[in-house]
Amino acid sequence: MNAADGDSLFATLQRAYRLGRREYRERLAHLDLTAKQAKLLLTLNTSPGRGVRFAAEAIGADIPTCSALVARLEEDGLVRRTADPDDRRRTRLYLTTEAEAIVEAVKAAEGAAEERLAAAAGADAGQLLLLLARLCQRLAPGEEQPASEAAAR
């Protein structure tokens, strides 16, 4: 199966992913955040008080990588850790007041990137989302799918 330019499906998906991530990164640049850091902030915004293990799973990173992201965001004054009262070996993660304001900007950047992707796909955006959701569901049938993918089934 080849795309119009002769690339394979795999290569075309990789290229689309890179271009989409670049779009998002460019929209985050003024916030001095990486895409993973932004995702971590969004995760803690919706799930405050969770630990590093939860955050790592939510952002698709391993625990050491997530710990490093948390440390960087903590240094930047965006995340604070508190000891878990039930298990002092664990910490709970929370956004600082400064981060709460940045979360709105992250959401705006995400929305703008989404709009740009939808505009680039044009009238085919809905069909593209449906096809990609089906592809994800068929490749990982046991994984929980995001709501947008479940709705597209």
Side-chain angles (χ1 to χ4, degrees):
M1 172 183 270
N2 289 327
D5 62 2
D7 282 341
S8 68
L9 176 61
F10 185 71
T12 303
L13 282 171
Q14 282 183 314
R15 184 161 191 260
Y17 175 76
R18 282 193 312 269
L19 291 169
R21 284 195 43 92
R22 183 177 72 193
E23 182 72 32
Y24 185 46
R25 277 193 316 267
E26 288 172 2
R27 294 184 184 275
L28 287 173
H30 72 283
L31 299 172
D32 196 28
L33 292 172
T34 67
K36 285 279 191 204
Q37 289 171 332
K39 192 169 186 178
L40 180 57
L41 292 179
L42 292 174
T43 297
L44 295 179
N45 185 59
T46 57
S47 300
R50 302 299 299 259
V52 173
R53 181 178 304 277
F54 173 87
E57 290 175 13
I59 68 169
D62 58 32
I63 292 173
T65 298
C66 188
S67 291
L69 288 171
V70 168
R72 168 71 195 273
L73 292 172
E74 189 176 30
E75 287 173 17
D76 292 344
L78 300 176
V79 170
R80 66 182 172 84
R81 300 181 212 222
T82 63
D84 185 330
D86 298 326
D87 184 347
R88 305 290 280 167
R89 295 170 295 177
R90 296 178 188 227
T91 59
R92 293 185 180 189
L93 305 173
Y94 297 92
L95 296 180
T96 63
T97 304
E98 181 181 346
E100 289 170 0
I102 291 173
V103 163
E104 295 309 312
V106 170
K107 288 178 183 177
E110 190 175 70
E114 177 81 17
E115 286 177 19
R116 170 73 172 99
L117 293 175
D124 298 324
Q127 185 66 20
L128 177 60
L129 181 59
L130 176 67
L131 292 171
L132 289 171
R134 277 191 200 142
L135 179 64
C136 290
Q137 194 246 342
R138 290 173 181 165
L139 289 174
E143 287 186 20
E144 183 179 318
Q145 300 298 311
S148 61
E149 292 175 12
R153 280 189 226 151

